[in-house]
Amino acid sequence: GDYSLKITGTIDESEKTNGYLYAGNTYTMHLEIKNISDVPAKYSVLKITPQEGDDFITLESDDIPNLEAYSVPTIKQGMFLQKDIKIKIGSFTDEKYKDTKINIEIINDTGWIDYVPIRVFGEQAKITFNAGKVENTYASLNGFLIYPDGNSQFFSVRQGNYQTISVPRFKP
């Protein structure tokens, strides 16, 4: 039946800033609707919406004329449809980042819903690393900045120089 669909959504790394999404930008999500069962998935009508209450996100698509009622034809077992949706992220002020969802719901069935989770940062913080002069003229200050979510960013500064990097702001 309709419960055999699996939804995945990906955003190309080239569109992200050091692997993160930020308010004030528009991103293209490649949405894949795949039949993972042994029987053909029936014709369905999908509703694709931001998480309820997250007014800072708007969705649009050249591939899908009506995101509130997208007709998906029968999908044979193991096959998939891929469509692009644009996620426009406005600003928000109450938090440094928000975990939200793009919901995909079958509206001609009872209660089937799936989602693609996304984390959006409101702003970046700038950190400057300064490598002072030392006796060794080939010295560098090298290191990793490790973020609260486990990701990291490498930096390398030759002696006598400085480097400023932008990082996601997890807390005030």
Side-chain angles (χ1 to χ4, degrees), residues 22-90:
Y22 287 95
N25 294 305
T26 299
Y27 300 96
T28 300
M29 178 177 283
H30 307 296
L31 199 61
E32 184 179 280
I33 304 160
K34 184 173 185 177
N35 181 353
I36 58 172
S37 77
D38 294 334
V39 295
K42 292 184 276 182
Y43 166 87
S44 304
V45 177
L46 299 184
K47 180 178 179 183
I48 303 169
T49 56
Q51 178 170 283
E52 191 173 331
D54 283 350
D55 300 335
F56 64 95
I57 290 184
T58 55
L59 304 177
E60 60 182 48
S61 176
D62 294 334
D63 288 350
I64 304 172
N66 183 359
L67 290 168
E68 297 281 325
Y70 171 49
S71 298
V72 178
T74 300
I75 304 173
K76 293 189 168 134
Q77 44 281 48
M79 300 303 288
F80 63 89
L81 290 176
Q82 186 169 333
K83 301 291 181 181
D84 288 345
I85 60 172
K86 292 213 180 307
I87 302 172
K88 291 185 175 184
I89 303 172

Side-chain angles (χ1 to χ4, degrees), residues 5 26 39 41 48 50 60 75 88 92 95 99 113 115 123 125-126 140 143 163:
L5 300 179
T26 299
V39 295
I48 303 169
E60 60 182 48
I75 304 173
K88 291 185 175 184
F92 50 89
E95 298 171 47
D99 290 321
I113 190 165
Y115 65 90
E123 57 188 30
K126 296 201 179 301
S140 290
Q163 179 185 5

Side-chain angles (χ1 to χ4, degrees), residues 125-131 141 145 155 157 161-166:
K126 296 201 179 301
I127 297 178
T128 300
F129 298 96
N130 196 344
L141 172 64
L145 205 57
F155 64 88
V157 186
N161 291 318
Y162 67 92
Q163 179 185 5
T164 301
I165 60 175
S166 295

